[in-house]
């Protein structure tokens, strides 16, 4: 069933684990992720970027597809349908009106005051409709949806003020992670992460988790991270298996066979990440 993320993330914050946020890019990826999570019996946040929304046709198409899969696959776990990095109030509103149960407004490229204003506007629209809101402070750089940007870390003082002024349900402070592939190793600011966790009431979110070493993921969870976003690692795992299939079956032309050849890779990646994010991983 579709739910918002608020209670799920508060439980994760209270009990020291992280909820999985996996980006979806088409019907097949959504199906594989839901099947794997149903088998594990764990909740999941399905993230939809604006680029993925455009690729799949629109927010209503995505919402209808997810709801159809929940029904036909008999999915009983809690599922959050989440706009990942919504760039404007209008984009967040469109997703909410289409049936999304959670949105992220990313106004982090604006000055602090404008970020607060835009985020607050989304919160005021979303909350009466039972939709949870995530926001970002600082800027998580790297490459996503063919857009490359640099990073700017959030500070403790601004993080406390931002959460207080906006009323968000979850908070993604930029603390050294990047979108896409890492060049070298991740340089996460665990000290500030822990201090933010201790000084705000809402769960913290880690974006750009693909490629971060497992010990750093576990440490981030111990420092208060309650939601972890993964996308690029799934893309790479899927690509590798599909590439192998195409090389071994050069005459295969049925798109169902080609796309499905990466299904095991995605399901295995889901299970590996869930094991890492769980309470037992500590």
């Amino acid at each position: 069933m579709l739910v918002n993320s608020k209670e799920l993330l508060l439980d994760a914050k209270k009990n020291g684990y992280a909820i999985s946020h996996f980006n979806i890019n088409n019907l097949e990826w959504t199906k594989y992720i839901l099947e794997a999570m149903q088998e594990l019996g764990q909740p999941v946040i399905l993230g939809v970027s604006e680029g993925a929304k455009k690729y799949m046709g629109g927010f209503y198409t995505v919402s209808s597809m997810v709801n159809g899969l929940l029904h036909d696959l008999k999915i009983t776990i809690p599922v959050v349908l989440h706009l990942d990095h919504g760039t404007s109030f209008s984009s967040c509103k469109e997703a909410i009106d289409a049936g999304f149960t959670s949105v992220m407004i990313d106004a982090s490229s604006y000055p602090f005051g404008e970020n607060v204003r835009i985020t607050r506007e989304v919160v005021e629209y979303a909350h009466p409709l039972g939709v949870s809101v995530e926001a970002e402070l600082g800027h998580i750089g790297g490459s996503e949806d063919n857009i490359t940007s640099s990073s700017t870390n959030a500070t403790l003082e601004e993080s406390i003020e931002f959460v207080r002024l906006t009323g968000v349900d979850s908070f993604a402070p930029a603390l050294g992670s990047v979108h896409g592939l890492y060049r070298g190793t991740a340089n996460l600011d665990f000290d500030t992460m822990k201090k933010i966790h201790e000084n705000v009431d809402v769960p913290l979110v880690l974006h750009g988790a693909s490629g971060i070493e497992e010990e750093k993921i576990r440490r981030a969870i111990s420092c208060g991270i309650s939601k972890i976003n993964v996308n690029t690692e799934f893309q790479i795992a899927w690509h590798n298996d599909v590439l192998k299939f195409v090389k071994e079956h050069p005459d295969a032309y049925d798109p169902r066979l080609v796309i499905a050849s990466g299904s095991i890779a995605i399901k295995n990646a889901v299970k590996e990440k869930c094991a890492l994010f769980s309470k037992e991983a500590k």
Side-chain angles (χ1 to χ4, degrees), residues 35-183:
E35 288 174 335
M37 295 304 293
Q38 178 72 18
E39 183 180 335
L40 292 171
Q42 296 184 20
V44 66
I45 298 172
L46 301 178
V48 182
S49 69
E50 290 183 344
K53 160 250 183 179
K54 183 177 179 181
Y55 173 79
M56 288 187 274
F59 287 127
Y60 277 99
T61 299
V62 176
S63 180
S64 299
M65 176 190 74
V66 170
N67 278 291
L69 286 171
L70 294 181
H71 178 272
D72 289 342
L73 298 176
K74 297 178 172 58
I75 300 298
T76 57
I77 57 169
V79 177
V80 179
L81 182 54
H82 176 75
L83 171 60
D84 189 24
H85 290 282
T87 56
S88 65
F89 170 80
S90 61
S91 182
C92 290
K93 181 180 183 299
E94 186 182 353
I96 293 168
D97 292 347
F100 278 56
T101 55
S102 180
V103 294
M104 178 197 182
I105 173 63
D106 183 359
S108 61
S109 61
Y110 293 96
F112 181 85
E114 185 67 359
N115 189 352
V116 168
R117 186 195 67 77
I118 295 170
T119 301
R120 186 69 206 174
E121 185 180 16
V122 173
V123 169
E124 289 173 352
Y125 185 78
H127 279 183
L129 299 172
V131 174
S132 51
V133 179
E134 174 188 334
E136 180 175 318
L137 185 66
H139 190 69
I140 298 162
S143 180
E144 185 172 53
D145 280 349
N146 296 316
I147 298 172
T148 300
S149 59
S150 57
S151 301
T152 304
N153 279 12
T155 67
L156 172 62
E157 294 75 15
E158 283 194 332
S159 295
I160 295 170
E161 187 72 353
F162 183 83
V163 171
R164 183 184 71 81
L165 291 172
T166 59
V168 291
D169 302 291
S170 58
F171 176 53
L175 294 170
S177 60
V178 299
H179 293 120
L181 293 174
Y182 281 88
R183 296 178 181 176

